[in-house]
Amino acid sequence: MEYIIVKFEIKGDKDLFETSCDLLCAMAGEVGFESFEETEEGVNGYIQKELYNPDDLNSIIDEWPIESTHITYKVGVIENVDWNETWENEGFSPIIINNKCVIYDVRHPSQLPDSYPIKVGIEAKMAFGTGTHETTQMIVGQLLGLDLEGKNVLDCGCGTGILGIVAGKLGATRVCAYDIDEWSVRNTIHNAELNDVDKIIQVLHGDSRVLTQFTGSFDIILANINRNILIADMGAFVDKLSTDGYLILSGFYHEDVAMLTQEARQYGLELIRQECNNNWSCLVFKRAK
């Protein structure tokens, strides 16, 4: 699979650099960009070549709301190579969530703390979800507070597979997952094997249309995706949600909460929990009684 790399440069007010980076990632995520890395000049964004539309970039520039900064960019094409190789080799430090779960880089096992009951080893290969991002941490935190023993779990946009793996470690007996990125599908399968939960995890390549290939309903549905996709796929998620199931969403900003909550109400869901971390939000829904 070929990817487009767009090198965004943020110019102007240096005090608003970080805010501009976050906003730029959010806006680019809404038009199909999958992964980002912050640079000294701004942000590098990655999108599948078949999803790339130059008009979308012009829309970001035209609609840019921070008057004291402005965006320029350069576009390039990269072949089917591991553009995250440098980061992967350096790895990431262990992430501890709610003093119950530690997520660690399997290539650096010496950094693994021993005092946590749930240990999840991740080897990231061009896939989102090492646990370093606030949205991943919030969903893991929600899973740690639920009884997953014997439950069926669906992970929509699985990335590295971390959410489904945590679910398996917490007692889920069936985990189904999918992602539009074929690298993510392979990485999820690989990480499931590393964590000895591969026998309970089924992973498919595609978007929400592959949900028809998963039989039955799910007690817990997880989706850590950008706002527009969550809204577009809400109906498909609800169709797969069991009567007493939970729909846990993240991948969006606090400003998007009202829009997503309103959309969920149209499908008979009610908001039962809400969490915010550095302006990223996580919502937990159940069917309204």
Side-chain angles (χ1 to χ4, degrees):
M1 179 185 298
E2 288 187 327
Y3 274 78
I4 297 290
I5 176 174
V6 178
K7 298 182 178 181
F8 295 98
E9 185 173 354
I10 299 171
K11 299 179 179 179
D13 190 342
K14 295 184 188 290
D15 291 336
L16 291 175
F17 180 82
E18 292 295 335
T19 300
S20 297
C21 285
D22 287 344
L23 179 60
L24 180 57
C25 290
M27 295 176 72
E30 290 175 2
V31 297
F33 281 76
E34 295 177 9
S35 301
F36 304 94
E37 59 179 349
E38 189 172 311
T39 67
E40 292 183 0
E41 295 78 24
V43 172
N44 289 344
Y46 300 89
I47 184 171
Q48 294 180 33
K49 188 175 181 180
E50 62 186 28
L51 300 178
Y52 171 70
N53 183 345
D55 290 339
D56 291 333
L57 292 181
N58 294 329
S59 296
I60 292 174
I61 302 302
D62 293 340
E63 298 171 9
W64 185 248
I66 303 178
E67 295 182 358
S68 57
T69 64
H70 65 279
I71 310 297
T72 61
Y73 64 86
K74 296 179 181 178
V75 179
V77 178
I78 50 179
E79 302 296 330
N80 190 14
V81 296
D82 193 347
W83 41 262
N84 229 9
E85 182 177 2
T86 299
W87 178 85
E88 290 169 5
N89 289 336
E90 293 177 355
F92 61 94
S93 299
I95 297 111
I96 298 164
I97 302 174
N98 293 4
N99 285 320
K100 295 180 181 178
C101 176
V102 58
I103 301 161
Y104 67 96
D105 189 329
V106 296
R107 289 156 300 189
H108 301 276
S110 61
Q111 300 178 1
L112 174 63
D114 294 325
S115 56
Y116 300 95
I118 306 296
K119 299 180 178 67
V120 178
I122 293 296
E123 185 175 0
K125 290 288 185 181
M126 291 183 69
F128 175 85
T130 59
T132 59
H133 200 274
E134 292 90 343
T135 57
T136 307
Q137 293 180 27
M138 285 189 289
I139 293 183
V140 171
Q142 293 297 331
L143 289 175
L144 292 171
L146 294 174
D147 178 11
L148 271 69
E149 196 67 38
K151 297 295 194 295
N152 293 332
V153 176
L154 173 65
D155 184 4
C156 309
C158 53
T160 61
I162 186 171
L163 300 178
I165 292 168
V166 170
K169 296 265 189 175
L170 289 171
T173 53
R174 180 188 180 217
V175 176
C176 295
Y178 69 88
D179 203 293
I180 61 170
D181 179 10
E182 59 184 327
W183 278 89
S184 294
V185 171
R186 293 200 292 269
N187 197 207
T188 293
I189 294 170
H190 176 64
N191 286 324
E193 292 171 349
L194 290 176
N195 288 274
D196 296 322
V197 294
D198 51 298
K199 291 182 175 57
I200 66 167
I201 292 185
Q202 178 187 4
V203 192
L204 296 180
H205 177 220
D207 56 22
S208 61
R209 288 172 290 187
V210 305
L211 287 174
T212 59
Q213 300 180 46
F214 295 131
T215 59
S217 60
F218 294 89
D219 304 294
I220 298 166
I221 297 179
L222 315 168
N224 189 6
I225 317 175
N226 75 67
R227 180 199 67 193
N228 288 356
I229 295 177
L230 290 175
I231 289 175
D233 291 348
M234 186 85 70
F237 298 158
V238 175
D239 286 343
K240 282 293 185 179
L241 188 64
S242 66
T243 303
D244 295 321
Y246 295 89
L247 175 62
I248 304 176
L249 307 179
S250 195
F252 49 88
Y253 286 103
H254 176 71
E255 291 78 9
D256 300 320
V257 167
M259 183 185 301
L260 285 159
T261 302
Q262 181 179 359
E263 185 71 17
R265 287 197 187 109
Q266 296 182 26
Y267 290 99
L269 301 177
E270 64 177 346
L271 180 64
I272 63 169
R273 280 194 297 279
Q274 178 177 344
E275 185 179 355
C276 186
N277 187 342
N278 288 334
N279 206 42
W280 293 99
S281 284
C282 178
L283 304 177
V284 182
F285 295 96
K286 288 196 77 173
R287 293 188 188 275
K289 296 181 179 179

